[in-house]
Amino acid sequence: MKWNTKITKVEPNHLVTAGYPQEDLIGNIPYPSVVYLLLKGKLPSQEHGQMMDAILTACIDHGVTPPSAMASRVVASGGVPLPTAVAAGVLSIGDAHGGAIEKGALFLQNSVKKMREAKKSFDETADFLVKESREQKKRILGFGHRVHNSDPRTKRLFKLADELNISGDHIALSKAIEKSLEKNLGKKLPINVDGAIAAIISDMGFDYRLGKAFFLLGRVAGLTAQVYEEQTREKPMRKMFTVDAEYDGPDEKKLPK
Amino acid sequence: MKWNTKITKVEPNHLVTAGYPQEDLIGNIPYPSVVYLLLKGKLPSQEHGQMMDAILTACIDHGVTPPSAMASRVVASGGVPLPTAVAAGVLSIGDAHGGAIEKGALFLQNSVKKMREAKKSFDETADFLVKESREQKKRILGFGHRVHNSDPRTKRLFKLADELNISGDHIALSKAIEKSLEKNLGKKLPINVDGAIAAIISDMGFDYRLGKAFFLLGRVAGLTAQVYEEQTREKPMRKMFTVDAEYDGPDEKKLPK
Amino acid sequence: MKWNTKITKVEPNHLVTAGYPQEDLIGNIPYPSVVYLLLKGKLPSQEHGQMMDAILTACIDHGVTPPSAMASRVVASGGVPLPTAVAAGVLSIGDAHGGAIEKGALFLQNSVKKMREAKKSFDETADFLVKESREQKKRILGFGHRVHNSDPRTKRLFKLADELNISGDHIALSKAIEKSLEKNLGKKLPINVDGAIAAIISDMGFDYRLGKAFFLLGRVAGLTAQVYEEQTREKPMRKMFTVDAEYDGPDEKKLPK
Amino acid sequence: MKWNTKITKVEPNHLVTAGYPQEDLIGNIPYPSVVYLLLKGKLPSQEHGQMMDAILTACIDHGVTPPSAMASRVVASGGVPLPTAVAAGVLSIGDAHGGAIEKGALFLQNSVKKMREAKKSFDETADFLVKESREQKKRILGFGHRVHNSDPRTKRLFKLADELNISGDHIALSKAIEKSLEKNLGKKLPINVDGAIAAIISDMGFDYRLGKAFFLLGRVAGLTAQVYEEQTREKPMRKMFTVDAEYDGPDEKKLPK
């Protein structure tokens, strides 16, 4: 079987990753820039490298309650090795958890393309998209958060994107949508960290299909810390939750004869 | 239920991770140093931060053949989301794949402790450990590699550890064991990347139980790239392997009456 | 938090599953019928119970080469616990591996509904569907197999479905499609085991969203056997594959200054 | 690469599993007996087949609170495919969750062997083991349950084992230990379902290393039902838990200059 790969060439005593000897990358190129190299096939500019670093940190941890942290904690509690429990958390990264980066980036990339073709302004486009989403009763992904009404990570990432000259049409449209949502809904539905990353990676030219990857690559460090804490501070099979489970299935009965 | 955690405090519009507001960490502290913060509970010195970065890159990818890359590729081929396939690769990180970091670090930490108590030299200790391992017919983990007889990652990491003033007794003992193995076996069994990381994290004061975590945190980027390549370059359920499976079970027979 | 569940009521010394005390189910109702109870909320007729049993066995194992078996074997080879390796195989069950049951059942259920509304015959409907699929260049799922041109499991399952009086419109349409495919393509593209199960569970009244579950529930036994065999017959990290990996990424170069 | 396997021979239009054509097994041999065939390499006697069926049902579900059900529910809540969420539950099956079957079986098998060699009675052996466990402050696994003080599954399984003439020395020793624990601790610590299965599979001659497999193979059906219920009754990312997370890490501070 022949496999083609652009990732790593393995030779005795020599590894070449996306064009560079690994021994040259190690300690000379910051890890987040090597991740960028793996995902994009080329090294980042200094600005893109710093943005990549910031995105990973912005995803790193959000306490014990997100599904990924819960899954990792619960699985760790069964008495399994660290990587097994970390992987369980990674499994929960789906359309509803981190998925707004992928779908948000696709939405922004398509919308910016149409906006340019139609030569519309950001505000016109945003108003149209908000109207359309209300008519179709479909949420625009990447706005609103169950805890924050002004996500501290979004503010910081957008400020950096400005400083690093990365902010472009996708971030601009994103902000116009936030404004239009407030105007049309009468309440603030702020860009959350997923939405911010969706806009930024779109301005950085990334494939939207990598959306969940950014979240995963940052969050895996938080999950590792969660598992390590569970394994070193807690007992296996500790009582973790008070769940009031109400059985509403069929009434109890005897087996049929 | 009350949970205690030292990782992240979540408040509306405010996140504190191991003592620092996340908005301060994002873009100001390099991601590998934030990982260090999560695992150690404090920010690294500049030297430790650089070493952490180098360790993550040294684990990043080793082509398509290691179990983790294979597992991720094969699972991706079933037609599943990216995080599911990445997690499958993470699951393969076990005692035989990346596990030499954990067990190697434990071995080095115990051996250095005994060496200091017995006031022996590195060479005496190494000779004793090699002799003991041969008598017990147990390999010392972290030496030898199926592809490399001089692992380019080891050389680079040890050079950095010297430059950053991190090299201590665990690295010294590790090198003494390599020398003793060659002397006693008559062939070179060089320190591999797992063995190098085991020694370095021991000199950095890390808990050996985090051994697999370092490998996992670096390699997850390579796995992500492997899955993305599989999903974008290849068809689902492509023929991946030529495996000559010889059935040597019971002869074919009819069901008993 | 209140959760509602129709699955199991847990009381001290008493468990009620979908209406029946577990101690009554154990050893009195065959396991596949208890699985049916869990998925459908009621015990099966004797015929449905036998069919359920047959479906599980028909999925049980297909040697070492399917993605699920490969993933389980490869992950086991990393030196991890049995359930971790079995789970890795389960992860590979996706749109391209076992997924034809889900999508095939949806397709058959929709097509039978339309056929009834339009009062068309099976052959007319099949011809229409085959024509449509050729025009849209989309395969009808559940037909053709990479190894078998007459899947022994399909024949057996369909025979049983006839004997148990389960065969209905979904199986009939499935057979009409097979005939139409041969007529229109000039070669046989036989119903595979996924396609057969898709038709049978549709005739049994199951939700198509459970499609992958039938495959999973049967195959998990094969995966367990594969992992146990790998763990007891083979060494960790054995050389499993000859993969000729050709690196076609960027040419090797020095880091930019 | 040549692989040897005793599980399934795959030929065009023909599958042989542990000596029997799959088309003969399907619908003729009950699924739990085919599972037995896969794990033991031979078909069970009728008694062993019935016992195997009962064991699988005894593991099938224990409501929403065990780690496996929780992990599957939480991961499903992230918006992922059914098999991904089921696999997450399987990952939690570890030394502390289901693991008492494996370790319990090993303990019973070793203890029965020593008892026979030393020609001791069940009661003498049990008293010795209980004394030893108290001195070493190590629990004997398979006794006690967080919900039940008389596990309804244990009673049913042991009754069946008697009726099917399977009860032997391992079950007898298990009961003697339960009696000795009560005598020595002054309170009842009843055999739980894990302990019962550990004793039964030991009397059936199974390898203790398959311990977790029995639990996994039964419970996977419950996990599938849990995931299906979560996906069809609940919204993704619903609020699942009230967890009172108290951050007790370092006080909030500014970044060092």
Side-chain angles (χ1 to χ4, degrees):
Chain A
M1 286 288 101
K2 192 155 123 206
W3 293 32
N4 288 299
T5 182
K6 294 184 189 305
I7 304 174
T8 299
K9 178 164 68 171
V10 178
E11 294 174 345
N13 306 332
H14 193 49
L15 296 167
V16 179
T17 291
Y20 300 99
Q22 270 198 23
E23 62 265 35
D24 291 355
L25 294 170
I26 297 169
N28 287 316
I29 303 292
Y31 172 75
S33 296
V34 184
V35 176
Y36 185 108
L37 171 69
L38 278 175
L39 300 184
K40 264 236 171 154
K42 61 177 184 186
L43 281 173
S45 65
Q46 209 199 312
E47 291 76 16
H48 275 215
Q50 280 182 254
M51 197 72 236
M52 185 76 194
D53 180 295
I55 291 172
L56 294 181
T57 299
C59 294
I60 207 158
D61 195 66
H62 197 271
V64 300
T65 60
S68 48
M70 275 289 168
S72 280
R73 288 268 192 177
V74 168
V75 168
S77 183
V80 303
L82 181 140
T84 297
V86 172
V90 171
L91 291 179
S92 76
I93 298 174
D95 286 345
H97 183 36
I101 306 180
E102 181 178 326
K103 293 200 175 164
L106 174 60
F107 177 77
L108 289 172
Q109 290 173 20
N110 285 341
S111 301
V112 163
K113 212 176 143 205
K114 284 184 212 158
M115 179 184 76
R116 286 169 183 165
E117 284 164 8
K119 301 187 179 178
K120 298 275 183 189
S121 72
F122 290 106
D123 286 340
E124 282 172 307
T125 307
D127 284 343
F128 172 79
L129 294 169
V130 169
K131 187 160 164 275
E132 188 184 57
S133 88
R134 297 186 71 185
E135 283 167 7
Q136 299 175 357
K137 291 184 200 302
K138 284 170 65 177
R139 286 180 52 208
I140 300 183
L141 294 172
F143 295 82
H145 194 280
R146 64 198 166 89
V147 179
H148 312 297
N149 59 43
S150 170
D151 195 315
R153 299 164 294 181
T154 296
K155 276 195 288 192
R156 176 71 185 131
L157 288 174
F158 277 173
K159 188 157 173 286
L160 268 171
D162 284 347
E163 289 169 14
L164 297 167
N165 271 317
I166 283 170
S167 300
D169 287 359
H170 300 91
I171 292 179
L173 180 58
S174 196
K175 289 177 176 173
I177 292 171
E178 188 185 39
K179 215 170 56 180
S180 178
L181 280 169
E182 187 168 5
K183 191 177 66 185
N184 283 286
L185 305 180
K187 64 166 184 169
K188 220 180 163 193
L189 211 60
I191 306 173
N192 58 36
V193 69
D194 289 354
I197 296 172
I200 293 167
I201 63 168
S202 297
D203 276 336
M204 291 169 82
F206 275 105
D207 186 346
Y208 74 91
R209 290 173 294 182
L210 282 168
K212 287 178 189 127
F214 291 89
F215 179 65
L216 187 166
L217 288 167
R219 185 56 57 93
V220 74
L223 298 176
T224 300
Q226 298 285 349
V227 170
Y228 181 64
E229 187 173 67
E230 183 72 28
Q231 291 182 327
T232 52
R233 280 191 86 170
E234 308 289 349
K235 288 195 178 161
M237 287 294 277
R238 68 171 166 120
K239 185 153 174 35
M240 300 182 102
F241 312 107
T242 327
V243 170
D244 179 14
E246 182 174 306
Y247 173 78
D248 58 3
D251 285 344
E252 188 173 343
K253 54 187 172 286
K254 289 193 181 303
L255 289 183
K257 295 294 168 188
Chain B
M1 286 287 101
K2 193 154 121 204
W3 292 33
N4 288 300
T5 181
K6 295 184 188 306
I7 304 175
T8 298
K9 179 164 67 171
V10 178
E11 295 174 345
N13 307 331
H14 193 50
L15 296 167
V16 179
T17 290
Y20 300 100
Q22 270 199 22
E23 62 264 35
D24 291 355
L25 295 171
I26 297 169
N28 288 315
I29 302 293
Y31 172 75
S33 295
V34 184
V35 176
Y36 184 107
L37 171 68
L38 279 176
L39 300 184
K40 264 236 173 155
K42 62 176 183 187
L43 281 173
S45 66
Q46 210 198 312
E47 290 76 16
H48 275 215
Q50 280 181 255
M51 199 71 236
M52 185 75 195
D53 180 295
I55 290 171
L56 294 181
T57 299
C59 294
I60 208 159
D61 194 67
H62 197 272
V64 300
T65 59
S68 48
M70 274 289 168
S72 279
R73 288 269 192 177
V74 167
V75 168
S77 183
V80 303
L82 180 140
T84 297
V86 172
V90 171
L91 292 178
S92 76
I93 298 173
D95 286 345
H97 182 37
I101 305 179
E102 182 178 325
K103 293 199 174 164
L106 174 59
F107 177 79
L108 288 172
Q109 290 174 19
N110 285 341
S111 301
V112 163
K113 212 175 144 205
K114 284 184 212 158
M115 179 184 77
R116 286 168 182 166
E117 284 163 7
K119 300 189 179 175
K120 298 275 184 189
S121 73
F122 291 105
D123 286 341
E124 282 172 307
T125 308
D127 284 342
F128 171 79
L129 294 169
V130 168
K131 186 159 164 277
E132 188 184 57
S133 87
R134 297 186 72 185
E135 283 166 7
Q136 300 175 356
K137 291 184 200 299
K138 283 172 66 177
R139 287 181 50 206
I140 299 183
L141 293 172
F143 295 82
H145 194 280
R146 65 198 165 88
V147 178
H148 312 297
N149 59 44
S150 170
D151 196 313
R153 299 164 294 182
T154 296
K155 276 195 288 191
R156 177 71 186 132
L157 289 174
F158 276 173
K159 187 157 172 285
L160 269 171
D162 284 347
E163 289 170 12
L164 298 167
N165 272 316
I166 284 170
S167 300
D169 286 0
H170 300 91
I171 292 179
L173 180 58
S174 195
K175 288 177 176 173
I177 292 171
E178 188 184 40
K179 216 170 57 180
S180 177
L181 280 169
E182 187 168 6
K183 190 176 65 184
N184 283 287
L185 305 180
K187 64 165 185 170
K188 220 180 163 195
L189 212 59
I191 305 174
N192 57 37
V193 69
D194 289 354
I197 295 172
I200 293 167
I201 64 168
S202 297
D203 276 336
M204 291 169 82
F206 275 105
D207 186 345
Y208 74 91
R209 290 172 294 181
L210 282 167
K212 287 177 188 129
F214 292 89
F215 179 66
L216 187 166
L217 288 167
R219 185 56 58 94
V220 75
L223 298 176
T224 300
Q226 298 285 348
V227 169
Y228 180 63
E229 187 174 67
E230 183 71 27
Q231 291 182 328
T232 51
R233 282 190 85 170
E234 307 289 349
K235 289 194 177 160
M237 287 295 276
R238 70 173 165 119
K239 187 154 172 34
M240 300 182 103
F241 311 107
T242 326
V243 170
D244 179 14
E246 181 174 305
Y247 173 79
D248 58 5
D251 285 344
E252 189 174 343
K253 52 187 172 286
K254 289 194 181 303
L255 290 183
K257 295 295 166 188
Chain C
M1 286 289 98
K2 193 154 123 206
W3 292 31
N4 288 300
T5 181
K6 295 184 187 306
I7 303 174
T8 298
K9 179 164 67 171
V10 178
E11 295 174 346
N13 307 331
H14 192 49
L15 296 167
V16 179
T17 290
Y20 300 100
Q22 269 198 23
E23 63 264 36
D24 291 356
L25 294 171
I26 297 169
N28 288 316
I29 303 293
Y31 172 75
S33 296
V34 184
V35 176
Y36 185 107
L37 172 67
L38 278 177
L39 299 184
K40 264 237 174 154
K42 60 177 186 187
L43 282 172
S45 66
Q46 210 199 313
E47 290 78 14
H48 274 215
Q50 281 181 255
M51 197 73 235
M52 185 76 195
D53 180 295
I55 289 171
L56 294 181
T57 300
C59 295
I60 208 158
D61 194 67
H62 197 271
V64 300
T65 59
S68 48
M70 274 290 167
S72 280
R73 288 269 192 176
V74 167
V75 168
S77 182
V80 303
L82 182 139
T84 296
V86 171
V90 171
L91 291 179
S92 76
I93 298 175
D95 287 345
H97 182 36
I101 305 180
E102 183 178 324
K103 293 200 174 165
L106 175 60
F107 177 79
L108 288 172
Q109 290 174 20
N110 283 343
S111 301
V112 162
K113 213 175 144 204
K114 284 184 211 158
M115 179 184 77
R116 285 169 183 164
E117 283 165 8
K119 301 189 177 175
K120 298 276 181 188
S121 72
F122 290 105
D123 287 341
E124 283 173 304
T125 308
D127 284 343
F128 172 80
L129 294 169
V130 169
K131 187 161 163 276
E132 188 183 56
S133 87
R134 297 187 71 187
E135 284 167 5
Q136 300 175 354
K137 292 185 198 303
K138 284 172 63 177
R139 287 181 51 206
I140 299 182
L141 292 173
F143 295 83
H145 194 280
R146 65 198 164 88
V147 178
H148 312 296
N149 59 43
S150 169
D151 196 314
R153 299 164 295 181
T154 296
K155 277 196 288 193
R156 178 69 185 132
L157 287 175
F158 275 172
K159 187 157 173 286
L160 268 171
D162 284 347
E163 289 169 15
L164 297 167
N165 273 317
I166 283 170
S167 300
D169 287 359
H170 300 90
I171 292 179
L173 179 58
S174 194
K175 289 177 175 173
I177 291 170
E178 187 185 39
K179 216 170 55 180
S180 177
L181 280 169
E182 186 168 7
K183 191 175 66 184
N184 284 287
L185 303 182
K187 64 166 186 170
K188 220 179 163 195
L189 211 60
I191 306 173
N192 58 36
V193 70
D194 288 353
I197 295 172
I200 293 168
I201 64 168
S202 296
D203 276 337
M204 291 169 83
F206 275 105
D207 186 346
Y208 73 90
R209 290 172 293 182
L210 282 167
K212 287 177 188 129
F214 292 89
F215 179 65
L216 187 167
L217 289 166
R219 184 57 57 93
V220 74
L223 297 176
T224 301
Q226 298 284 350
V227 170
Y228 181 62
E229 188 173 66
E230 182 72 26
Q231 291 182 327
T232 51
R233 282 191 85 171
E234 308 288 350
K235 287 193 181 164
M237 288 294 278
R238 69 173 165 118
K239 187 153 172 35
M240 301 182 102
F241 311 108
T242 328
V243 169
D244 179 13
E246 182 174 305
Y247 173 78
D248 57 5
D251 285 343
E252 189 173 344
K253 52 186 173 286
K254 288 194 182 303
L255 290 184
K257 295 295 169 187
Chain D
M1 286 288 99
K2 193 154 122 202
W3 291 32
N4 288 300
T5 182
K6 294 184 189 305
I7 304 174
T8 299
K9 178 164 67 172
V10 178
E11 294 174 345
N13 307 331
H14 192 49
L15 296 167
V16 179
T17 289
Y20 300 99
Q22 269 199 22
E23 63 263 37
D24 291 356
L25 295 170
I26 297 169
N28 288 316
I29 303 293
Y31 172 76
S33 295
V34 184
V35 176
Y36 185 107
L37 171 68
L38 278 176
L39 300 184
K40 263 239 174 151
K42 62 177 184 186
L43 281 172
S45 66
Q46 210 199 312
E47 291 77 14
H48 275 214
Q50 281 182 253
M51 198 72 234
M52 184 76 195
D53 179 295
I55 290 172
L56 293 181
T57 299
C59 294
I60 209 159
D61 194 68
H62 197 271
V64 300
T65 59
S68 48
M70 273 290 167
S72 280
R73 288 269 192 175
V74 168
V75 168
S77 183
V80 303
L82 182 140
T84 297
V86 171
V90 171
L91 292 179
S92 76
I93 299 174
D95 285 346
H97 183 36
I101 305 180
E102 182 178 325
K103 293 200 173 164
L106 174 60
F107 177 79
L108 289 172
Q109 290 174 20
N110 284 342
S111 300
V112 163
K113 213 175 143 206
K114 285 184 210 157
M115 178 185 77
R116 286 170 183 163
E117 284 164 8
K119 300 190 178 174
K120 298 276 182 187
S121 73
F122 291 105
D123 286 341
E124 283 172 306
T125 308
D127 284 342
F128 171 79
L129 294 169
V130 169
K131 188 161 163 277
E132 188 183 55
S133 86
R134 297 187 71 186
E135 284 166 6
Q136 301 176 354
K137 294 187 198 301
K138 282 172 64 177
R139 289 181 49 207
I140 300 183
L141 293 172
F143 296 83
H145 194 279
R146 64 196 165 90
V147 179
H148 312 296
N149 59 44
S150 170
D151 196 314
R153 299 164 295 181
T154 296
K155 277 195 288 193
R156 177 70 185 132
L157 287 174
F158 276 173
K159 188 158 174 285
L160 268 171
D162 284 347
E163 289 170 13
L164 296 167
N165 272 317
I166 284 170
S167 300
D169 287 359
H170 300 91
I171 292 178
L173 179 58
S174 194
K175 289 177 175 173
I177 292 171
E178 186 185 39
K179 216 170 56 181
S180 177
L181 279 169
E182 186 167 7
K183 192 176 65 185
N184 284 287
L185 304 181
K187 64 166 186 170
K188 220 179 164 198
L189 211 60
I191 306 174
N192 58 35
V193 69
D194 289 353
I197 295 172
I200 294 167
I201 64 168
S202 295
D203 276 336
M204 292 169 82
F206 275 105
D207 185 345
Y208 74 90
R209 289 172 295 182
L210 282 167
K212 288 179 188 127
F214 291 89
F215 179 65
L216 187 166
L217 288 166
R219 185 57 56 94
V220 75
L223 297 176
T224 300
Q226 298 285 349
V227 170
Y228 180 63
E229 187 173 66
E230 183 71 28
Q231 291 182 326
T232 52
R233 282 191 84 171
E234 308 289 349
K235 288 193 179 162
M237 288 293 278
R238 69 172 166 120
K239 186 152 173 37
M240 301 182 101
F241 312 108
T242 326
V243 169
D244 179 14
E246 182 174 304
Y247 173 79
D248 59 5
D251 285 343
E252 189 174 344
K253 54 185 171 288
K254 289 194 182 302
L255 290 184
K257 294 296 167 187

